[in-house]
Amino acid sequence: MEQLRCVVIDDEKHSVSILSDYIESNPNLLLVRSYMDPLIALSGISLKDKIDFIFLDIDMPDITGIELAKKLLNRARFIVFTTAFTKYAIEAFEVDASRYLVKPISKPKFIQTVWDVLESETKKLEKSKQSSKKFFFVSVGDRGQRLKIKKSKILFFESEKNYIKIVTEEKDYLVYLTMKEVELDFSGTLFYRVHRSFFVNAEKVDKVVGNTLKLRSYVIPMGNSYKDGFNEFLERKTLRSNR
């Protein structure tokens, strides 16, 4: 893990000293700079510094931490407010602060806040990735049109020579893809290759009869060389009595 680059801005020397000690005592954190003058901090911090955390006091002369944060938001990944006054909490979060620490700040609380902020960002990124996997676009027609298709609406894919037919709950689409390309994009999902020509959404299967799957009005064959994966899914989802 690369060291997280930190800046402390506080007009009180004692507060700067405490937070600087917390940062310097942690091998995962690096104190890049500290400031007691918020206006000097404003002119001294740039995008080139690649700052991860700015620990910023709110109640300061000349310019408040709230006002300063608005100008520094794009110069750091996270801004954590540090203040002795809880009255600023609402204003702090209105400028998209990552956290709000009330003085006096203990070292365990300080370190926990850093990890909480990082964990929160990780969860947001994961959620964003998952959201992006819920749909895709395909080119249709002869004018470069791109159509959005939700994966949850797909019943199955069917191979048709050099094309793939995407059968959804509402409509069918013929697109220029290969079954291998479809499999690669849907790897790790509840879609299974059950036949040389069919790739099905397991959640949409209504009934399994022998070597056939029924999805609404469609009957899909299962090929012997492809059905193992789907049968494993079927076993996991089959409710059996232990009696």
Side-chain angles (χ1 to χ4, degrees):
M1 176 182 178
E2 288 189 16
Q3 286 182 300
L4 297 164
R5 296 169 62 80
C6 305
V7 167
V8 176
I9 306 172
D10 197 308
D11 65 319
E12 294 181 354
K13 187 176 181 179
H14 178 65
S15 295
V16 170
S17 177
I18 289 175
L19 294 184
S20 296
D21 286 345
Y22 291 169
I23 293 168
E24 291 174 335
S25 66
N26 191 299
N28 295 312
L29 305 179
L30 175 67
L31 180 63
V32 176
R33 251 173 255 131
S34 63
Y35 299 92
M36 291 182 63
D37 188 323
L39 295 180
I40 294 178
L42 179 59
S43 61
I45 301 171
S46 71
L47 286 171
K48 293 180 181 179
D49 293 318
K50 297 180 179 179
I51 302 301
D52 293 296
F53 282 88
I54 293 179
F55 297 96
L56 176 60
D57 187 27
I58 292 179
D59 195 14
M60 296 187 292
D62 300 321
I63 181 172
T64 70
I66 301 292
E67 294 169 324
L68 186 58
K70 293 176 182 178
K71 300 178 183 296
L72 294 176
L73 275 176
N74 66 337
R75 303 187 206 177
R77 288 171 64 197
F78 312 109
I79 290 180
V80 176
F81 282 116
T82 60
T83 181
F85 306 101
T86 57
K87 65 182 181 180
Y88 295 116
I90 295 176
E91 290 180 84
F93 289 111
E94 283 179 350
V95 294
D96 202 25
S98 298
R99 283 294 188 279
Y100 183 96
L101 284 171
V102 179
K103 299 176 183 178
I105 303 166
S106 68
K107 185 175 179 180
K109 179 64 175 177
F110 176 84
I111 298 301
Q112 186 60 53
T113 295
V114 170
W115 303 140
D116 285 348
V117 170
L118 293 173
E119 184 180 14
S120 178
E121 184 192 45
T122 299
K123 288 180 179 179
K124 285 181 182 178
L125 290 173
E126 185 59 33
K127 187 176 180 180
S128 177
K129 288 179 182 178
Q130 292 300 323
S131 178
S132 68
K133 293 178 181 179
K134 292 180 180 179
F135 64 88
F136 58 93
F137 286 85
V138 293
S139 297
V140 295
D142 56 1
R143 294 187 179 182
Q145 298 180 63
R146 295 189 183 185
L147 183 71
K148 178 180 178 180
I149 296 179
K150 292 182 178 180
K151 292 184 178 181
S152 61
K153 298 292 185 180
I154 297 172
L155 299 178
F156 61 88
F157 296 86
E158 182 178 2
S159 176
E160 292 196 0
K161 295 183 179 180
N162 294 326
Y163 293 84
I164 291 290
K165 182 165 71 172
I166 304 174
V167 179
T168 74
E169 294 174 347
E170 294 91 12
K171 192 176 180 181
D172 300 350
Y173 305 94
L174 196 64
V175 298
Y176 191 68
L177 286 171
T178 66
M179 194 63 83
K180 284 292 183 183
E181 289 169 333
V182 171
E183 278 190 288
L184 182 63
D185 188 69
F186 282 77
S187 175
T189 68
L190 286 177
F191 281 76
Y192 291 87
R193 182 85 174 266
V194 297
H195 188 274
R196 181 171 58 87
S197 300
F198 292 95
F199 193 66
V200 303
N201 183 351
E203 292 187 310
K204 302 296 182 181
V205 175
D206 298 314
K207 186 184 294 186
V208 180
V209 181
N211 285 332
T212 61
L213 309 176
K214 291 191 175 182
L215 297 81
R216 298 196 173 188
S217 60
Y218 301 97
V219 178
I220 308 295
M222 276 202 295
N224 289 330
S225 59
Y226 292 99
K227 64 183 181 180
D228 288 348
F230 182 79
N231 281 338
E232 287 179 12
F233 160 79
L234 199 61
E235 282 298 315
R236 293 197 304 271
K237 292 295 183 179
T238 300
L239 186 63
R240 302 182 187 279
S241 173
N242 293 321
R243 291 182 296 178

